[in-house]
């Protein structure tokens, strides 16, 4: 009853337009006043400090800074051009190039919105000009952008590790195979949907090699980050610093696409996004504090474990809940609100927390292209103003079905997510 009451109160605050961070903070503070004691308000700054007092969290603004540098440096457009030269002659070739560019840029930026904006701004007009089906074009960019939170490095994975104390390195490794598989499934659908459509002329070998030479530096960034983590050269947190320095070096001195004059805007965008994430974290921890005092997570765990429910029925319910939340909230908020309650339940039911990380993130990807508040749907609408939101939703629907299929596949074959972390240790 307490959880239901808090949920209704939070929904009310969100509906009247209060930002998520303040909504959660207000709920937590009022809960302390109502159910504990006014004197406990002295714990609010302590909770805020302890929430952000984590070495791992230093990587969050660094990954965001790296993403902003690569976004301003137009690295994504080069990746799309590279993909179009090498794969444009295949059925749905530019669609394949779009998914390829999204997957690589996702590994660079860790941001779904940045991926959709960067690749979509070039891919959508180019594909429409070549006569591709509008719904397929819009859907492929919207869905390709979601790969940003599954393919490492991923800010949601860092938050997951911070909340649960799971190894961020293992979490990063768990997303590689599922991310690659989802990319392949997206490409297979595009090939199937475009099989009888006209194809682009094959680029010459010289054109392919020229494109590869021009964009090879951008391709090296995910290799350096992921390879450095997996070989133990540096930690995921240190990888953020290495990646940022590398991004600065190639955009300043190789591509010459970023200048000193661009840095204030890049830093402002980084600070704004970082503060948003950290504010939501503080609000979520305040809300979680009062729920813990009232023993709501423990009560939920007893309800699940003593109710003699099949654990897969519980998992189905969790997936449905995450999908519903994804329709009204964004990824970071959902993870920070739900994970402190879901994590003990997952462990009590015998599910692998590393595996659940991937299931959770695919649900979050699904949320990004699910109306009414699918973030990527509105991003695509913003960069393709002449397209209707109905066309964007219809184009994204087959890709959403593919994501649901991968979640089911992960339930039957959990090794898809757990094999690589167990091998590399």
């Amino acid at each position: 009853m307490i959880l239901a009451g808090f949920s209704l109160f939070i929904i009310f605050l969100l509906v009247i337009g209060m930002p998520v961070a303040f909504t959660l903070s207000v709920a937590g503070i009022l809960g302390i006043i109502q159910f504990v004691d006014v004197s406990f308000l002295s714990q609010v700054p302590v909770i805020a400090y302890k929430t952000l007092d984590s070495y791992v969290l230093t990587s969050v603004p660094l990954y965001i800074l790296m993403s902003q540098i690569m976004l301003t440096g137009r690295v994504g457009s080069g990746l799309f051009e590279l993909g179009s030269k090498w794969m444009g002659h295949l059925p749905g070739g530019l669609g394949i190039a779009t998914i390829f560019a999204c997957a690589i840029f996702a590994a660079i930026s860790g941001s779904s919105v940045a991926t959709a904006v960067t690749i979509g701004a070039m891919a959508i007009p180019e594909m429409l000009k070549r006569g591709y089906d509008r719904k397929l074009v819009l859907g492929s960019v919207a869905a390709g952008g979601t790969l940003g939170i599954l393919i490492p490095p991923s800010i949601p994975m860092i938050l997951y590790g911070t909340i649960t104390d799971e190894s961020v390195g293992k979490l990063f490794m768990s997303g590689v195979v599922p991310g690659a598989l989802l990319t392949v499934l997206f490409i297979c659908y595009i090939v199937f949907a475009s099989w009888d459509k006209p194809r682009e002329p094959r680029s010459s070998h010289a054109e392919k090699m020229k494109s590869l030479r021009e964009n090879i530096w951008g391709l090296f960034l995910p290799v350096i980050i992921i390879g450095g983590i997996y070989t133990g050269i540096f930690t995921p947190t240190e990888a953020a610093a290495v990646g940022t320095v590398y991004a600065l070096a190639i955009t300043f001195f190789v591509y010459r696409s970023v200048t000193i004059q661009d840095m204030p805007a890049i830093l402002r965008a980084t600070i704004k996004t970082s503060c948003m994430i950290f504010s939501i974290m503080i609000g979520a921890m305040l809300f979680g504090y009062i729920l813990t005092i009232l023993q709501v997570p423990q009560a939920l765990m007893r309800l699940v474990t003593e109710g003699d429910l099949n654990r897969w029925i519980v998992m189905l319910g969790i997936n449905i809940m995450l999908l519903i939340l994804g329709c009204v909230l964004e990824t970071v908020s959902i993870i920070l609100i739900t994970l402190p309650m879901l994590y003990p339940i997952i462990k009590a039911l015998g599910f692998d927390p590393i595996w659940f990380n991937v299931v959770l993130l695919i649900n979050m990807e699904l949320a990004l292209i699910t109306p009414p508040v699918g973030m990527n749907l509105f991003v695509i609408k913003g960069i393709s103003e002449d397209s209707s939101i109905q066309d964007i939703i219809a184009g994204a629907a087959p890709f959403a079905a593919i994501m649901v299929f991968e979640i089911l596949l992960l339930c039957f074959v959990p090794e898809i997510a757990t094999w690589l972390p167990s091998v590399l240790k």
Side-chain angles (χ1 to χ4, degrees):
M1 289 175 64
I2 289 170
L3 186 59
F6 271 121
S7 300
L8 290 172
F9 180 64
I10 288 172
I11 290 170
F12 169 73
L13 293 180
L14 292 172
V15 166
I16 64 174
M18 183 176 284
V20 173
F22 300 129
T23 295
L24 295 173
S25 298
V26 167
I29 290 170
L30 291 180
I32 291 172
I33 295 171
Q34 174 68 31
F35 296 106
V36 190
D37 190 84
V38 176
S39 62
F40 272 76
L41 289 178
S42 62
Q43 292 298 306
V44 170
V46 177
I47 293 168
Y49 177 80
K50 287 184 176 179
T51 299
L52 303 182
D53 184 26
S54 169
Y55 173 67
V56 173
L57 287 180
T58 58
S59 63
V60 172
L62 285 171
Y63 279 124
I64 294 170
L65 176 58
M66 182 177 69
S67 170
Q68 290 295 329
I69 293 168
M70 300 300 269
L71 184 63
T72 305
R74 298 185 294 279
V75 174
S77 59
L79 292 172
F80 175 77
E81 182 65 24
L82 175 65
S84 65
K85 292 294 184 187
W86 282 79
M87 293 171 278
H89 63 282
L90 300 172
L94 290 185
I96 298 173
T98 298
I99 298 297
F100 164 80
C102 284
I104 299 297
F105 196 78
I108 292 172
S109 69
S111 167
S112 292
V113 172
T115 302
V117 169
T118 304
I119 307 303
M122 184 171 184
I124 291 175
E126 194 67 26
M127 292 172 73
L128 292 176
K129 186 172 70 177
R130 308 281 181 89
Y132 279 72
D133 178 72
R134 180 176 291 272
K135 291 179 181 178
L136 179 65
V137 170
L138 300 171
S140 60
V141 177
T146 66
L147 296 168
I149 60 175
L150 183 59
I151 298 176
S154 165
I155 290 172
M157 286 183 182
I158 297 170
L159 299 179
Y160 187 104
T162 304
I163 294 169
T164 63
D165 285 330
E166 296 289 342
S167 163
V168 175
K170 285 187 176 181
L171 296 174
F172 276 9
M173 285 185 270
S174 70
V176 174
V177 177
L181 176 60
L182 194 58
T183 302
V184 170
L185 291 174
F186 284 172
I187 288 174
C188 288
Y189 169 72
I190 290 172
V191 171
F192 173 77
S194 309
W195 190 259
D196 57 347
K197 302 294 190 298
R199 305 181 188 183
E200 298 295 310
R202 185 187 292 269
S203 298
S204 67
H205 180 72
E207 290 175 324
K208 290 179 180 180
M209 296 311 296
K210 180 175 181 293
S211 178
L212 181 61
R213 284 194 301 271
E214 289 173 350
N215 296 284
I216 191 71
W217 295 101
L219 290 175
F220 274 144
L221 182 54
V223 174
I224 291 171
I225 292 176
I226 299 172
I229 294 171
Y230 294 169
T231 56
I233 297 174
F234 38 72
T235 68
T237 306
E238 293 163 349
V242 172
T244 301
V245 172
Y246 181 82
L248 277 170
I250 65 171
T251 52
F252 262 93
F253 303 115
V254 179
Y255 296 141
R256 301 181 185 273
S257 52
V258 174
T259 64
I260 293 294
Q261 288 73 27
D262 295 320
M263 289 309 296
I266 290 173
L267 293 173
R268 277 196 301 270
T270 301
I271 292 169
K272 181 178 178 180
T273 305
S274 301
C275 289
M276 179 270 291
I277 292 174
F278 291 151
S279 297
I280 293 174
M281 285 190 70
I282 291 172
M285 288 303 176
L286 284 172
F287 182 56
Y289 175 76
I290 187 61
L291 292 183
T292 303
I293 290 290
L294 298 173
Q295 296 193 330
V296 171
Q298 293 89 326
L300 283 174
M301 192 162 65
R302 284 197 303 272
L303 181 67
V304 171
T305 55
E306 296 174 6
D308 200 26
L309 294 172
N310 184 288
R311 67 177 192 152
W312 290 108
I313 298 295
V314 177
M315 179 56 66
L316 176 63
I318 289 172
N319 278 276
I320 292 172
M321 179 195 72
L322 291 172
L323 180 59
I324 294 171
L325 287 174
C327 292
V328 294
L329 289 172
E330 43 78 43
T331 302
V332 171
S333 303
I334 296 171
I335 291 174
L336 294 174
I337 292 169
T338 63
L339 193 55
M341 289 182 285
L342 292 180
Y343 183 72
I345 294 173
I346 290 299
K347 293 202 73 173
L349 293 174
F351 289 109
D352 188 326
I354 300 295
W355 167 85
F356 181 67
N357 157 71
V358 177
V359 173
L360 173 65
L361 290 189
I362 296 177
N363 271 288
M364 296 302 94
E365 288 185 323
L366 196 55
L368 286 166
I369 55 173
T370 306
V373 195
M375 187 69 72
N376 277 23
L377 300 178
F378 294 103
V379 167
I380 301 305
K381 175 63 179 171
I383 59 179
S384 181
E385 295 180 0
D386 58 336
S387 300
S388 68
I389 194 70
Q390 290 82 3
D391 280 346
I392 301 171
I393 293 171
F399 296 95
I402 291 172
M403 292 179 189
V404 173
F405 170 75
E406 176 148 340
I407 291 173
L408 292 173
L409 193 60
L410 281 163
C411 291
F412 286 106
V413 192
E415 291 78 13
I416 295 172
T418 59
W419 172 75
L420 193 59
S422 66
V423 169
L424 295 178
K425 299 183 180 180

